[in-house]
Amino acid sequence: NLVKVDFKRDNYVWMSEKKNKKIIIFASGDGTNAEQIIKYFKKNKSINVQYILTNKYDAGVLERAKKHEIPAFFYNNEAFEKKIVFELLISVKPDLIVLAGFIRKIPDIIISKFPNKIINIHPALLPSHGGKGMYGNEVHKSVIKSNDSTTGITIHFVNSDYDKGKIILQKSIKVDSKDTPNSLSKRVQKLEHKYYPLVIEKLLNEQSR
């Protein structure tokens, strides 16, 4: 149900526990946001990416985790249903759970146990172009179809409804008349890579006050 992806440094988990603040990243895809977060905090003495969790056995994020020697787990739907993932989170006690291109709904039992400690990034200006099924290029197609003049990113807390948690930060860019879903994706992704690590750092620093 829950399979650890083994890396060279088996003792990495124990070494990383010396840091004060622990992040767990959930990702389903290629993992570019996850990698930016890993790189941003790699030399941070108090904040650490503890694990990468994915619900896809062939997700690109696993290779990125391996490259940076971050322990990673693949889990199937049964692991969620049997609360195996929940029990892992309880044992690790992360200070922040970060969704980075994660397309599965987070169970209410996890949300209630970690209030205001689960965040997501959405590639549009919520509440527009949000909800179930709105991820990746589907979002950018919707923006172009709607003839929106601006788009951007929304970083928000996660609640029991898709993309409806309290907004933490929004940043926008103009939509060009020549934009395609792919070109828009690339420009929006630059905002994601720049601002997601900064928001994570700010939230964790605020916890310490």
Side-chain angles (χ1 to χ4, degrees):
N1 296 329
L2 192 66
V3 181
K4 183 176 179 181
V5 180
D6 291 319
F7 301 134
K8 295 177 183 178
R9 291 164 59 186
D10 291 333
N11 63 337
Y12 180 87
V13 177
W14 312 116
M15 290 172 64
S16 65
E17 285 180 351
K18 294 178 182 178
K19 295 194 175 184
N20 298 327
K21 297 292 184 178
K22 293 179 284 191
I23 301 168
I24 286 184
I25 298 176
F26 283 74
S28 299
D30 190 44
T32 60
N33 268 318
E35 185 168 34
Q36 288 298 316
I37 295 165
I38 292 166
K39 288 164 69 175
Y40 186 86
F41 291 109
K42 203 156 195 177
K43 295 183 179 180
N44 191 295
K45 293 182 179 180
S46 60
I47 298 172
N48 178 69
V49 176
Q50 189 83 353
Y51 292 122
I52 301 286
L53 273 67
T54 182
N55 60 333
K56 290 191 174 183
Y57 72 93
D58 58 350
V61 71
L62 291 173
E63 282 301 313
R64 296 181 190 274
K66 184 177 181 179
K67 181 172 72 173
H68 294 284
E69 298 183 314
I70 303 295
F73 288 90
F74 157 74
Y75 59 88
N76 57 20
N77 291 337
E78 190 178 2
F80 250 152
E81 292 163 6
K82 290 187 175 181
K83 300 181 182 179
I84 296 172
V85 173
F86 175 74
E87 290 169 3
L88 172 67
L89 294 174
I90 293 298
S91 67
V92 175
K93 298 179 182 178
D95 297 280
L96 201 63
I97 298 169
V98 176
L99 310 188
F102 186 68
I103 59 175
R104 184 184 170 92
K105 192 173 186 292
I106 300 296
D108 287 342
I109 189 173
I110 294 177
I111 293 171
S112 62
K113 185 64 179 179
F114 297 94
N116 295 322
K117 288 189 176 182
I118 309 174
I119 64 171
N120 182 47
I121 189 164
H122 186 77
L125 299 173
L126 294 175
S128 299
H129 313 290
K132 188 175 182 180
M134 294 299 289
Y135 59 88
N137 268 7
E138 294 304 313
V139 174
H140 305 307
K141 288 176 185 176
S142 179
V143 168
I144 291 171
K145 185 177 180 180
S146 300
N147 293 315
D148 289 359
S149 59
T150 59
T151 187
I153 60 168
T154 303
I155 300 171
H156 64 93
F157 289 109
V158 173
N159 63 13
S160 57
D161 296 314
Y162 276 110
D163 300 326
K164 291 187 178 180
K166 181 182 176 182
I167 292 173
I168 302 167
L169 178 77
Q170 289 186 312
K171 291 291 179 179
S172 63
I173 57 172
K174 291 183 178 180
V175 179
D176 192 280
S177 59
K178 295 180 181 179
D179 266 320
T180 65
N182 285 338
S183 68
L184 208 52
S185 173
K186 289 177 182 177
R187 294 200 291 123
V188 168
Q189 196 173 68
K190 289 180 180 179
L191 293 179
E192 294 174 348
H193 292 172
K194 179 179 179 179
Y195 289 103
Y196 211 10
L198 295 176
V199 168
I200 291 167
E201 185 175 42
K202 183 174 184 291
L203 290 172
L204 290 173
N205 286 338
E206 287 176 351
Q207 288 180 6
S208 302
R209 292 174 187 173

